[in-house]
Amino acid sequence: MSNELPKTYEPAAIEAEAYRVWLDENCFHAEPSSPGEPYSIVIPPPNVTGALHLGHAINSTLQDILIRKARMEGRNAVWIPGIDHAGIATQAVVEKQLKERDNLTRHDVGREGLVKRIWEWKQQYGDRIISQLKRLGCSCDWDRTRFTLDEMCAKAVRETFFKLFKDGLVYRGKRLVNWDVHLQTSISDDEIYHETVQTHLWHIKYPIVDSGEDPRLEVQVSGKSERPVAGMALEPQVSAQGTDEFGEPLQTFSDDEGSRIDLSNDNAPDPVDYNKTGLRTASTGPSPRPTFLVVATTRPETMLGDTAIAVHSEDPRWNWAIGKFVELPLTGRKIPIIADDILVDPKFGTGVVKVTPAHDPNDYSVWQRHLSQLDAIDIINIMNPDGTLNDAAGKYKGLALNKARHAVANDLKDQGLLIKEEPYETQVGHSDRSKTPIQPYLSDQWFVKMAPLAEPALRVVRDGTIQFFPERHAQQYLSWLGEKRDWPISRQLWWGHRIPVWTGDAKQLGMTIFAADAADAKVISPMTIHAGDAGNLHRTVKIGGVEISVQTAFVNEEQVAFVCVPPGSTKTEQELERLGFVQDPDVLDTWFSSALWPHSTLGWPEQTPELAKWYPTSVLLTGRDIITLWVARMVMMGMYNMGQRPMGVQPVSPAAGEVTTDHALANVENFDPKHREPEQTLPVHEYAQNTQGRDARGRAEDLGIPFYHVAINPTILDGKGERMSKSKGNGVDPVDVIDTHGADALRFTLATMATETQDVRMPVKKDAQGRNTSDKFDFGRNFCNKLWNASRFVISNLELTAALGSEAQARNQNNKTAERKQNSDSSSVNPALKSLPDRWIVSRFNATVDEANKALSAYRFDLYAKTCYDFFWRDFCDWYVEAVKPTLKTESGGNSLAIVTQILDGVLRLMHPLIPFITETIWWKLNELAPDRAGLGTVHKRLIHSAWPQAGTIDAQAEERFTLVQEIIVAIRNVRNEHKADPKKPVVVRLESGTIPWLKDEHRLIETLAVCRIHSEPDPNAIRVSAGGAEIYISGLIGPATDKLRQTTQKEALVRKIAAMKSRLGNEAYTAKAPAALVEETRQQLAQAEAELSKLE
RNA sequence: GGGCCGUUAGCUCAGUUGGCUAGAGCGCCUCCCUUACAAGGAGGAGGUCACAGGUUCGAGCCCUGUACGGCCCACCA
């Protein structure tokens, strides 16, 4: 009894036990010094913010499949787990908790206090995530668990930041950022969602001040301008690489783009439609012109920060006013009317736009565009970080924005400047974290220059060094990276890697550092921070072995120095602080540390054995939503830090001129190629082998790419097709599913869903215990149950045989070395094959292994699971086991028991990566009863460390023959069923198969599986059917009526088929152009169909 | 507005370089609790492959267009 598997499959019991054993025996741990070709994966670190959902579950399952397979293939496989600190998200959650529990803000507890609390949160939820991964069966090397905020990562972050700073790829600039007024931090574009709000469009009069033409402008009032119109007059220094000096994407214009309007076009606005615009004309002058312009805005309060009015240069209604001024209502400031053909769409609104550079992204672009032009405009910030108005707002100072809006609108109304207030629907950006509206806000931020980093990262995907699966996802990567928009990396948060820059009086620095060791102080590169700001410098010096990189800038007429030092320069940091320098209070964008993940987890910047062995990693598995945010940045930073060539500092644009190449060698010095193992060969996947061989890997190493393959897993949606998320409440905790169905069932089902189609719908239901689960997982659970029971069957037979000292087993001992050539732990099935079913099932197994290999090397996890399913359930259980069942325990069973055992052995190996718990558990049991698998030799104690099955040869003849036998059996069953034959009572069958001489050898098989007796006496009343060229006469059934029907249907089908084939063959084009083999095949089929038909007449 | 993807059985989805009667699971119908498994077994019904053109001897598959759905990016004051 102890030898038996429990009668019912209960995943909960076996899963806990199997995982415990794996952990106890350290099965997941890898060492770089171990033998085997490297195979490595780094987990996309889940956010510590919350628990894992099904999206993580599918992602983790697929990685585990790859790692377990690689491990079984004898590779030195490591899967590095970890968690992301998820800056904003985590801080927001903890702050919210602080507020709700203790009614405290972060300012009450202070920076240290808050960070301490977040660490406590991290401990709790990090542990939860790890335990979820363990429940899933993930075979991560837990000894190597990392956190994006741990010391190793911190060091990598500091090193990288310093490199970037030194290379001039980090710069500080004023930029309009998305400001979360509630959290008082800037947030990235991707942390914003848009919400439709009902608001108003306020139409406001801006009186034109007649007295002043803008003296800075050359006169040009009518349609055609003498000088290039604004918007086309982009800075000549803008590089061809697509960014200006701020890294803004270069916008290119051509005459056929929408920025110009064609006045002959009917769609162009009525030249002067005063009714439409609500304008009045002045009574004097040769041509009537309005005395004011009307602006329509959704945000009247921002007019306090207006610095210009913009119109389209070719809009005849207003272009005469370009160069004049308006008086800004409520403030009395005089602001210019400028032309900006990018901002202004004459067809929209009044064709007149207020420009508020400090509070609107588009207006900010206007400011930038006009910065070095004659018509440069001001930029005025009217907002405090907390969302109230500042001194610049005059009497509105101190009001919150929404209050100011109404105050402004009311005052305008009082002054008769508000023409109308029309209801308007618009989209307003909201912070994903605080759910409050985002304010564009002008602030000082650090940026990473993208162009030099993006270029190489684009190249390696274009040239196929990095491959996407499915391939089409590369497009998203390429198009996003192609924009090369600079990356704002400052976050006004306390939770994260603090920016390693100290700010202070440049004069202090000069006296102490520069002057102290002037001979040693080597100027490494000049840098311009803002165009036109003379005196801004960028120097990197080396003093006493410590590198110090300095950027200077003028702030309020004072020269301020920004100093960056590499990690481990504590003394220098202290010295700086003694001099009054203060460290930047901001932290880095979370993605900054995530971008380093593949190499930082392996120990970089130290040249660790892990890095040498496992970098580049073999594949990255992730969702398509972070191809840009994460994948692209990992490639960039991987190449920047790990590449042997200093690509990060190659001057991509001579015009940029800010970065010199002479310090590029600094990167090379960091890199010690000796740590490489030149004998390393390819990663596992076939395609790489048949393309460039080991050169590919060598080249990839030179380039420093973090992975060769990017496999994109599908997004899991709920039953309504909506993305799962916690806020929607439609998320499913994988642990809930594991509780209801088991981890193997979850894994199996998720794998079948990992198709190339992007999204998977998952109808969710709540069970009695309130757990979110889905009937979808019944599929996997049923499969596991089937495996459980089939294994029980095999094991019960082994027990019996063992008890009786089976002859079959003894015989197999003799056969065991007959044809085997593999090592002792091989799973190749190759006993002495006798019967057709034996030959067939072995051939099918071999084909299945082959298909599984192909599927997995293409990351087609669904095909892998499907292949396993079809072979195990359909071929093995439904056919083979049923075929050998009656004779299994008898002498005449031949070596079927051996084959059943060996196939089970192979199936366990083949499916272990997919359903590790159940396969491992059965493996143990199988080891007890058949330690040598009836002749295969010694097997490994643990399946996790056993060999991946080898695909042996395909027996085409056996497959062909067995297929025919199947057809005959199905035909007989069919008739039996239609006649409601007693399932246990055999029918009498006569087979006419003169053309198939070998068929008589399989009569016994047919009798078994079709429940019949085969006789040779003709019966005139027999029901006749045909299958695969054999005529089948079935006697002993009543009810020929249905047979008539069936024969009629069959006949009709044949007639149709014959007609179709005849017409095809009658078509000369077909016989001439189609492949000869196909035509011949058609002829044979036609002949066969006609023969069948004639027999049915 | 730009780009990408999808539309195949009642539901969820496969369908390889175009090639015989388009498949699976679930659900449904009939029969069967046969000592591995009713979470099972045997059989069955069910599809004008979104629509319209085109290429081809031949189209679910390739091309063009349309409709509907989804995603990403940019978002008009």
Side-chain angles (χ1 to χ4, degrees), chain A residues 530-549:
Chain A
H530 279 271
D533 283 349
N536 288 336
L537 298 171
H538 176 205
R539 293 200 167 105
T540 301
V541 299
K542 205 168 193 178
I543 298 173
V546 177
E547 274 193 300
I548 299 173
S549 193

PDB file of all heavy atoms in Angstrom, chain A residues 530-549:
ATOM      1  N   HIS A 530      23.206  75.098 -21.141  1.00  0.00           N
ATOM      2  CA  HIS A 530      22.178  75.827 -21.881  1.00  0.00           C
ATOM      3  C   HIS A 530      22.858  76.592 -22.994  1.00  0.00           C
ATOM      4  O   HIS A 530      23.893  77.218 -22.773  1.00  0.00           O
ATOM      5  CB  HIS A 530      21.466  76.834 -20.972  1.00  0.00           C
ATOM      6  CG  HIS A 530      20.418  76.204 -20.139  1.00  0.00           C
ATOM      7  ND1 HIS A 530      19.135  76.063 -20.561  1.00  0.00           N
ATOM      8  CD2 HIS A 530      20.466  75.681 -18.903  1.00  0.00           C
ATOM      9  CE1 HIS A 530      18.431  75.476 -19.615  1.00  0.00           C
ATOM     10  NE2 HIS A 530      19.217  75.233 -18.579  1.00  0.00           N
ATOM     11  N   ALA A 531      22.266  76.549 -24.123  1.00  0.00           N
ATOM     12  CA  ALA A 531      22.823  77.293 -25.229  1.00  0.00           C
ATOM     13  C   ALA A 531      22.923  78.766 -24.831  1.00  0.00           C
ATOM     14  O   ALA A 531      21.994  79.321 -24.262  1.00  0.00           O
ATOM     15  CB  ALA A 531      21.948  77.140 -26.460  1.00  0.00           C
ATOM     16  N   GLY A 532      24.024  79.329 -25.126  1.00  0.00           N
ATOM     17  CA  GLY A 532      24.158  80.751 -24.877  1.00  0.00           C
ATOM     18  C   GLY A 532      24.588  81.119 -23.467  1.00  0.00           C
ATOM     19  O   GLY A 532      24.863  82.262 -23.172  1.00  0.00           O
ATOM     20  N   ASP A 533      24.624  80.166 -22.581  1.00  0.00           N
ATOM     21  CA  ASP A 533      25.075  80.462 -21.236  1.00  0.00           C
ATOM     22  C   ASP A 533      26.583  80.291 -21.158  1.00  0.00           C
ATOM     23  O   ASP A 533      27.096  79.230 -20.828  1.00  0.00           O
ATOM     24  CB  ASP A 533      24.436  79.508 -20.219  1.00  0.00           C
ATOM     25  CG  ASP A 533      23.009  79.910 -19.942  1.00  0.00           C
ATOM     26  OD1 ASP A 533      22.626  81.012 -20.362  1.00  0.00           O
ATOM     27  OD2 ASP A 533      22.307  79.131 -19.308  1.00  0.00           O
ATOM     28  N   ALA A 534      27.268  81.340 -21.454  1.00  0.00           N
ATOM     29  CA  ALA A 534      28.720  81.256 -21.413  1.00  0.00           C
ATOM     30  C   ALA A 534      29.155  80.945 -19.995  1.00  0.00           C
ATOM     31  O   ALA A 534      28.557  81.383 -19.030  1.00  0.00           O
ATOM     32  CB  ALA A 534      29.331  82.571 -21.874  1.00  0.00           C
ATOM     33  N   GLY A 535      30.188  80.174 -19.896  1.00  0.00           N
ATOM     34  CA  GLY A 535      30.704  79.913 -18.558  1.00  0.00           C
ATOM     35  C   GLY A 535      30.258  78.596 -17.977  1.00  0.00           C
ATOM     36  O   GLY A 535      30.740  78.180 -16.950  1.00  0.00           O
ATOM     37  N   ASN A 536      29.335  77.945 -18.653  1.00  0.00           N
ATOM     38  CA  ASN A 536      28.962  76.626 -18.168  1.00  0.00           C
ATOM     39  C   ASN A 536      30.015  75.620 -18.591  1.00  0.00           C
ATOM     40  O   ASN A 536      30.369  75.545 -19.763  1.00  0.00           O
ATOM     41  CB  ASN A 536      27.611  76.217 -18.740  1.00  0.00           C
ATOM     42  CG  ASN A 536      26.508  77.010 -18.106  1.00  0.00           C
ATOM     43  OD1 ASN A 536      26.678  77.507 -16.992  1.00  0.00           O
ATOM     44  ND2 ASN A 536      25.415  77.143 -18.808  1.00  0.00           N
ATOM     45  N   LEU A 537      30.474  74.865 -17.669  1.00  0.00           N
ATOM     46  CA  LEU A 537      31.578  73.965 -17.953  1.00  0.00           C
ATOM     47  C   LEU A 537      31.256  72.553 -17.518  1.00  0.00           C
ATOM     48  O   LEU A 537      30.405  72.335 -16.666  1.00  0.00           O
ATOM     49  CB  LEU A 537      32.828  74.419 -17.189  1.00  0.00           C
ATOM     50  CG  LEU A 537      33.365  75.784 -17.550  1.00  0.00           C
ATOM     51  CD1 LEU A 537      34.451  76.170 -16.568  1.00  0.00           C
ATOM     52  CD2 LEU A 537      33.897  75.781 -18.972  1.00  0.00           C
ATOM     53  N   HIS A 538      31.972  71.663 -18.120  1.00  0.00           N
ATOM     54  CA  HIS A 538      31.892  70.287 -17.665  1.00  0.00           C
ATOM     55  C   HIS A 538      33.310  69.747 -17.598  1.00  0.00           C
ATOM     56  O   HIS A 538      33.998  69.678 -18.613  1.00  0.00           O
ATOM     57  CB  HIS A 538      31.054  69.443 -18.631  1.00  0.00           C
ATOM     58  CG  HIS A 538      31.015  67.997 -18.259  1.00  0.00           C
ATOM     59  ND1 HIS A 538      30.785  67.015 -19.158  1.00  0.00           N
ATOM     60  CD2 HIS A 538      31.191  67.379 -17.071  1.00  0.00           C
ATOM     61  CE1 HIS A 538      30.810  65.833 -18.548  1.00  0.00           C
ATOM     62  NE2 HIS A 538      31.063  66.042 -17.272  1.00  0.00           N
ATOM     63  N   ARG A 539      33.749  69.436 -16.399  1.00  0.00           N
ATOM     64  CA  ARG A 539      35.122  68.932 -16.262  1.00  0.00           C
ATOM     65  C   ARG A 539      35.122  67.686 -15.418  1.00  0.00           C
ATOM     66  O   ARG A 539      34.366  67.566 -14.464  1.00  0.00           O
ATOM     67  CB  ARG A 539      36.004  69.974 -15.571  1.00  0.00           C
ATOM     68  CG  ARG A 539      36.213  71.208 -16.387  1.00  0.00           C
ATOM     69  CD  ARG A 539      37.440  71.955 -15.885  1.00  0.00           C
ATOM     70  NE  ARG A 539      37.815  72.960 -16.852  1.00  0.00           N
ATOM     71  CZ  ARG A 539      37.582  74.263 -16.681  1.00  0.00           C
ATOM     72  NH1 ARG A 539      37.001  74.687 -15.589  1.00  0.00           N
ATOM     73  NH2 ARG A 539      37.939  75.116 -17.604  1.00  0.00           N
ATOM     74  N   THR A 540      36.000  66.775 -15.795  1.00  0.00           N
ATOM     75  CA  THR A 540      36.232  65.641 -14.923  1.00  0.00           C
ATOM     76  C   THR A 540      37.707  65.619 -14.576  1.00  0.00           C
ATOM     77  O   THR A 540      38.551  65.707 -15.469  1.00  0.00           O
ATOM     78  CB  THR A 540      35.835  64.334 -15.619  1.00  0.00           C
ATOM     79  OG1 THR A 540      34.462  64.425 -15.960  1.00  0.00           O
ATOM     80  CG2 THR A 540      36.042  63.154 -14.679  1.00  0.00           C
ATOM     81  N   VAL A 541      37.976  65.579 -13.325  1.00  0.00           N
ATOM     82  CA  VAL A 541      39.372  65.600 -12.893  1.00  0.00           C
ATOM     83  C   VAL A 541      39.635  64.390 -12.028  1.00  0.00           C
ATOM     84  O   VAL A 541      38.713  63.789 -11.483  1.00  0.00           O
ATOM     85  CB  VAL A 541      39.701  66.878 -12.097  1.00  0.00           C
ATOM     86  CG1 VAL A 541      39.475  68.100 -12.948  1.00  0.00           C
ATOM     87  CG2 VAL A 541      38.895  66.934 -10.816  1.00  0.00           C
ATOM     88  N   LYS A 542      40.898  64.075 -11.933  1.00  0.00           N
ATOM     89  CA  LYS A 542      41.272  62.943 -11.105  1.00  0.00           C
ATOM     90  C   LYS A 542      42.230  63.473 -10.055  1.00  0.00           C
ATOM     91  O   LYS A 542      43.272  64.020 -10.370  1.00  0.00           O
ATOM     92  CB  LYS A 542      41.962  61.882 -11.972  1.00  0.00           C
ATOM     93  CG  LYS A 542      41.863  60.493 -11.412  1.00  0.00           C
ATOM     94  CD  LYS A 542      42.316  59.508 -12.476  1.00  0.00           C
ATOM     95  CE  LYS A 542      41.936  58.084 -12.092  1.00  0.00           C
ATOM     96  NZ  LYS A 542      42.323  57.124 -13.136  1.00  0.00           N
ATOM     97  N   ILE A 543      41.822  63.366  -8.830  1.00  0.00           N
ATOM     98  CA  ILE A 543      42.663  63.886  -7.756  1.00  0.00           C
ATOM     99  C   ILE A 543      42.901  62.783  -6.753  1.00  0.00           C
ATOM    100  O   ILE A 543      41.973  62.217  -6.199  1.00  0.00           O
ATOM    101  CB  ILE A 543      41.990  65.080  -7.067  1.00  0.00           C
ATOM    102  CG1 ILE A 543      41.800  66.199  -8.094  1.00  0.00           C
ATOM    103  CG2 ILE A 543      42.827  65.553  -5.893  1.00  0.00           C
ATOM    104  CD1 ILE A 543      40.994  67.346  -7.582  1.00  0.00           C
ATOM    105  N   GLY A 544      44.146  62.479  -6.578  1.00  0.00           N
ATOM    106  CA  GLY A 544      44.491  61.439  -5.618  1.00  0.00           C
ATOM    107  C   GLY A 544      43.810  60.123  -5.920  1.00  0.00           C
ATOM    108  O   GLY A 544      43.379  59.405  -5.037  1.00  0.00           O
ATOM    109  N   GLY A 545      43.657  59.855  -7.203  1.00  0.00           N
ATOM    110  CA  GLY A 545      43.060  58.577  -7.584  1.00  0.00           C
ATOM    111  C   GLY A 545      41.548  58.595  -7.607  1.00  0.00           C
ATOM    112  O   GLY A 545      40.935  57.647  -8.051  1.00  0.00           O
ATOM    113  N   VAL A 546      40.946  59.690  -7.134  1.00  0.00           N
ATOM    114  CA  VAL A 546      39.487  59.749  -7.125  1.00  0.00           C
ATOM    115  C   VAL A 546      39.007  60.649  -8.252  1.00  0.00           C
ATOM    116  O   VAL A 546      39.455  61.787  -8.396  1.00  0.00           O
ATOM    117  CB  VAL A 546      38.965  60.305  -5.781  1.00  0.00           C
ATOM    118  CG1 VAL A 546      37.450  60.425  -5.812  1.00  0.00           C
ATOM    119  CG2 VAL A 546      39.423  59.420  -4.645  1.00  0.00           C
ATOM    120  N   GLU A 547      38.128  60.104  -9.040  1.00  0.00           N
ATOM    121  CA  GLU A 547      37.576  60.916 -10.120  1.00  0.00           C
ATOM    122  C   GLU A 547      36.460  61.802  -9.599  1.00  0.00           C
ATOM    123  O   GLU A 547      35.629  61.356  -8.794  1.00  0.00           O
ATOM    124  CB  GLU A 547      37.026  60.008 -11.217  1.00  0.00           C
ATOM    125  CG  GLU A 547      38.083  59.574 -12.220  1.00  0.00           C
ATOM    126  CD  GLU A 547      37.452  58.942 -13.442  1.00  0.00           C
ATOM    127  OE1 GLU A 547      36.756  57.931 -13.258  1.00  0.00           O
ATOM    128  OE2 GLU A 547      37.633  59.466 -14.538  1.00  0.00           O
ATOM    129  N   ILE A 548      36.463  63.005 -10.064  1.00  0.00           N
ATOM    130  CA  ILE A 548      35.399  63.936  -9.693  1.00  0.00           C
ATOM    131  C   ILE A 548      34.931  64.602 -10.971  1.00  0.00           C
ATOM    132  O   ILE A 548      35.741  65.121 -11.737  1.00  0.00           O
ATOM    133  CB  ILE A 548      35.923  65.008  -8.709  1.00  0.00           C
ATOM    134  CG1 ILE A 548      36.425  64.330  -7.436  1.00  0.00           C
ATOM    135  CG2 ILE A 548      34.836  66.020  -8.390  1.00  0.00           C
ATOM    136  CD1 ILE A 548      37.104  65.284  -6.485  1.00  0.00           C
ATOM    137  N   SER A 549      33.660  64.579 -11.193  1.00  0.00           N
ATOM    138  CA  SER A 549      33.138  65.195 -12.407  1.00  0.00           C
ATOM    139  C   SER A 549      32.264  66.376 -12.015  1.00  0.00           C
ATOM    140  O   SER A 549      31.437  66.275 -11.107  1.00  0.00           O
ATOM    141  CB  SER A 549      32.343  64.181 -13.223  1.00  0.00           C
ATOM    142  OG  SER A 549      32.106  64.704 -14.512  1.00  0.00           O
TER     143      SER A 549
END
